[in-house]
Amino acid sequence: MTTGAVASVVPKSHASRWPVFGWFAFLFLIASQITAIAISPPDRDMGDLQKIMYVHVPAAWMTMLSPLAVLYFGLRYLWTRREEDDLLAASSAEVATTFAGLTLALGMIWARPTWGVWWTWDARLTSMLVLFLMLAGYLALRALIDERERRAQWSAVVGVLGALNVPIVYMSVRWWRTIHQIQSSPETVDRAYVVGLRLNAFAMLFVMIYFVRRRYEAALLERMAERAIERAALGQGAAR
Amino acid sequence: MSNWMFVGAAFAATWIALLGYLAHLQRTMRRSRDLFERATKAGNR
């Protein structure tokens, strides 16, 4: 990584495209939520509680998608040893942890009126909790290891292991007898809810991309600052 | 609690999480920028 890399990535993107993309993502999310609530009729069984689907299901999809980014960039780091890949993996993991926590909270809010309990040790809920804890463990590991290369290597390995849990979370509702319904998708929900679900899924995807990108920019700047400090210290040491 | 209370709680939780993370991002970005500017100034001295 060079100073030139930062000069080309951070200031340019900060000055123009990405903040605009962020505004677009959030405005699109607001519009999608309003549209979904306005056009979807109450569900026959759940009534208006069905509307929680528009936040819970997209958040769950992002929780399963972002660890795949951690997997991809982690493997790329192990292959190329490029520091940018490590920073991208770490940024994706932080965003994934946020979405995992949100998914669990929304699931509990939906579970209380439909199942009568806030939490049950169901296969889907438990595997999602395990994913959340693995992601939190990934972030804790990064905070604990000071040595840069060792931190990147270990966290790449933990990121890969964490991502292996994603197919288990996804398939848990089919592999085990669970109280949780099967995967919600445009194929499994009523046609009246498909447009709202699609809109909110794309909106949440845009928000996730924006979060990962901005977190990466911050991490890149921090890393460049550390490099500059190291260089300054080395220069002072040589001057003495 | 009525159904709409739970729906409202879910949407509120979503916005608290997203805006909370956005605030964390802005803080992190500002801190990184300050650190970068200080470090480059110190390096130029």
Side-chain angles (χ1 to χ4, degrees), chain A residues 69-91:
Chain A
V70 180
L71 171 74
Y72 174 72
F73 291 118
L75 286 176
R76 238 172 68 157
Y77 173 78
L78 292 174
W79 185 260
T80 62
R81 304 285 162 165
R82 280 175 71 243
E83 207 173 354
E84 286 91 337
D85 290 325
D86 172 54
L87 298 179
L88 275 164
S91 305

Side-chain angles (χ1 to χ4, degrees), chain A residues 164-229:
Chain A
L164 293 180
N165 192 30
V166 171
I168 299 173
V169 176
Y170 185 74
M171 293 305 293
S172 58
V173 285
R174 296 194 187 264
W175 287 347
W176 292 283
R177 280 167 63 93
T178 66
I179 191 171
H180 195 285
Q181 67 190 66
I182 58 159
Q183 298 99 337
S184 296
S185 73
E187 286 75 40
T188 59
V189 302
D190 192 278
R191 267 193 303 172
Y193 307 131
V194 170
V195 173
L197 186 58
R198 281 212 170 112
L199 280 174
N200 280 280
F202 276 110
M204 210 72 106
L205 177 68
F206 296 149
V207 169
M208 186 190 79
I209 291 169
Y210 174 69
F211 279 170
V212 171
R213 171 67 204 195
R214 296 291 283 171
R215 187 65 190 86
Y216 170 64
E217 281 179 16
L220 205 55
L221 265 179
E222 205 175 297
R223 184 69 202 95
M224 291 313 299
E226 283 169 11
R227 282 262 165 110
I229 290 166

Side-chain angles (χ1 to χ4, degrees), chain A residues 96-122:
Chain A
T97 312
T98 306
F99 276 108
L102 175 63
T103 303
L104 287 169
L106 292 173
M108 288 166 77
I109 293 170
W110 204 357
R112 184 67 185 87
T114 48
W115 301 341
V117 288
W118 293 101
W119 181 265
T120 178
W121 294 101
D122 169 270

Side-chain angles (χ1 to χ4, degrees), chain A residues 102, chain B residues 9-22:
Chain A
L102 175 63
Chain B
F11 278 80
T14 302
W15 281 100
I16 288 168
L18 296 182
L19 294 179
Y21 188 72
L22 188 66

